């Protein structure tokens, strides 16, 4: 197998709503695990990611419903499609296909930045505006790339 680059957190993913930012950090960490763990650890890494994704999307979906977020239908639908893909991969892994997990991880790594930039940033702004009557305040380091 060709070595897959990991997925590192970057401050450019910060959206200014702390609960969402914390969840997104965990998302990135778990996708990174899917990309970098040993092959024999893939099923466990997938289960950890699936549990996170279910809770993550339920949390955001709940916020959208509770706060009457205007673009919630499209956003919730996108979450549902990601979960459907995760569940398909879980079935394939149960049937012995492990490499598909890496393909899912690459797709998630490619999907997340634009989802966060467009859909989640709008939700973050909505949530902050509803809670504080203002816009999110975001502090990023060095153009958004986190330093170790």
């Amino acid at each position: 197998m060709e070595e897959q680059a990991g997925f590192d957190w970057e401050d450019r993913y910060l959206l200014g709503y702390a609960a969402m930012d914390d969840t997104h950090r965990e998302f990135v960490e778990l996708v990174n695990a899917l990309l970098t763990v040993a092959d024999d650890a893939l099923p466990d890494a997938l289960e950890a990611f699936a549990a996170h994704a279910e809770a993550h999307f339920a949390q955001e979906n709940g916020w959208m419903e509770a706060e009457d977020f205007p673009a919630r239908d499209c956003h919730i639908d996108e979450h549902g499609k990601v979960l459907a893909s995760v569940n398909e991969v879980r079935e394939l892994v149960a049937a012995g296909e492990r490499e598909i997990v890496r393909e899912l991880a690459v797709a998630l790594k490619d999907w997340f930045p634009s989802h966060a930039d467009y859909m989640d940033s709008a939700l973050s702004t909505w949530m902050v505006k509803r809670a504080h009557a203002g816009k999110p305040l975001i502090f990023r380091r060095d153009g958004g790339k986190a330093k170790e």
Side-chain angles (χ1 to χ4, degrees), residues 74-143:
C74 179
H75 198 153
I76 290 169
D77 185 53
E78 190 162 304
H79 288 163
K81 289 177 182 176
V82 171
L83 287 176
S85 293
V86 170
N87 287 327
E88 286 176 28
V89 169
R90 289 167 93 182
E91 290 175 15
L92 291 168
V93 168
E97 292 185 46
R98 289 189 176 181
E99 194 55 37
I100 192 78
V101 176
R102 307 281 190 202
E103 294 174 30
L104 172 67
V106 169
L108 291 166
K109 179 181 174 180
D110 292 344
W111 169 81
F112 176 75
S114 62
H115 178 81
D117 285 348
Y118 298 104
M119 293 195 165
D120 287 341
S121 67
L123 176 57
S124 173
T125 298
W126 182 261
M127 296 297 290
V128 171
K129 185 176 181 181
R130 301 283 284 206
H132 305 291
K135 293 182 180 178
L137 184 58
I138 305 166
F139 296 95
R140 294 186 175 115
R141 299 170 283 199
D142 297 326

Side-chain angles (χ1 to χ4, degrees), residues 25-38:
R25 272 187 205 276
E26 184 179 349
F27 179 95
V28 169
E29 289 170 8
L30 291 166
V31 171
N32 183 59
L34 294 175
L35 291 166
T36 60
V37 299

